[in-house]
Structures are given as C-alpha cells and as structure tokens.
Amino acid sequence: MTSLKIGDKAPEFEAKDNKGNIIKLSDYAGKKLVLFFYPKASTPGCTNEACDLRDNYQTFLAKGYDVLGASADSAKRQQNWIDKHELPFPLLADEEKAVIEAFGVWGPKKFMGREYDGIHRTTFIIDENGVIEDIISKVKTKAHAAQILD
C-alpha cells in the first residue's frame, strides 16, 4: 500500500493530538518512534492493538521508543478511547488525513465483500534520525508489541 520503504526518510508531519497539542515528527528527533496507524478508535481490532502496545509501553520506553497512534478520528473520540482503556501515549486526530496520506496508508479496502476507502493498519518504526527502520503491514493486533520488539 505505502510507497515508503525501509531506509526512506519519514515524511515530516504536523497534526493535533487528542488534547489539541500540535505534534510534529521533529518532536521525536533523537528518539525512536513507533508510529501506528489504525482504522478506527474503539473498534475491537484497534482496541486489541492499542492495549497490547499499552501493556508493553514500559518496555518500549526502556528500549528508547516513544509510541504515537494516528487515525482519522476526532480528538474527542480519541480522548474517550484513551480514557476508557488508559492508553499512555498520544493519538493523532488526523481528520484531514494529512499524516495518513503522507505515509500512504489510505486507500481501497475490502470488508465482507464491500469495497471502500480507509486506513490500512500499518506501523512505522522510525529511528533517531527520522529514517524508517521497519514497516509492519501485517499487524497482529493481539501481539503487535512482539512484532516490533522482537
């Protein structure tokens, strides 16, 4: 789906998070970043994925990673999801899809025989210099942290 490849510079971005703060890729300079894109907050698969990352959050921090989620949900919906599941990381409310499109994760999908456009569940691991270290497009929602950390 995405045209980005391992070794590419990650697209610079700027978007509001669930609290209305402006988050930029440059905020993570000198740190590793797990940037995960998911179709919709509060849906079962996305909740499994986010909770797996939450449960392993201290391990990510100990290994020098920050975690950031992104979808086209509103800030209010993102905040409600954070509150309900005690998610410790910010979520981008990319309603204009600027970050989603910059990373090339928006496109045609099929579900139960129906075709529509949406977010392809994809995770980018970005190194301290803003270079894409890994791209995970076949996300295992219940074991995603292991896919990243192993």
Side-chain angles (χ1 to χ4, degrees), residues 67-134:
V67 177
L68 177 64
S71 76
D73 293 303
S74 68
K76 184 179 189 322
R77 187 176 172 106
Q78 302 283 40
Q79 188 60 55
N80 290 344
W81 196 39
I82 286 171
D83 294 343
K84 184 174 182 182
H85 297 286
E86 298 177 8
L87 303 178
F89 37 78
L91 300 174
L92 297 179
D94 190 19
E95 292 181 274
E96 283 80 48
K97 302 181 192 75
V99 182
I100 291 163
E101 288 177 356
F103 279 82
V105 296
W106 182 264
K109 296 174 73 166
K110 262 191 180 149
F111 183 67
M112 294 173 67
R114 195 172 69 89
E115 261 196 55
Y116 60 98
D117 280 348
I119 296 172
H120 289 255
R121 187 185 310 279
T122 310
T123 298
F124 294 84
I125 313 304
I126 302 168
D127 75 9
E128 302 87 343
N129 302 310
V131 174
I132 298 170
E133 212 170 69
D134 198 5

Side-chain angles (χ1 to χ4, degrees), residues 12-94:
E12 189 53 63
F13 64 80
E14 186 174 298
K16 286 190 177 168
D17 72 2
N18 49 286
K19 289 189 162 92
N21 300 317
I22 299 287
I23 305 254
K24 300 187 281 256
L25 178 62
S26 57
D27 296 341
Y28 296 96
K31 300 176 190 165
K32 291 182 182 183
L33 177 63
V34 173
L35 175 57
F36 71 102
F37 291 91
Y38 54 93
K40 198 162 194 64
S42 297
T43 56
C46 296
T47 298
N48 287 338
E49 178 182 12
C51 289
D52 181 55
L53 296 174
R54 174 202 64 203
D55 294 347
N56 291 280
Y57 187 60
Q58 292 308 317
T59 305
F60 283 112
L61 294 179
K63 293 190 175 214
Y65 291 95
D66 263 323
V67 177
L68 177 64
S71 76
D73 293 303
S74 68
K76 184 179 189 322
R77 187 176 172 106
Q78 302 283 40
Q79 188 60 55
N80 290 344
W81 196 39
I82 286 171
D83 294 343
K84 184 174 182 182
H85 297 286
E86 298 177 8
L87 303 178
F89 37 78
L91 300 174
L92 297 179
D94 190 19

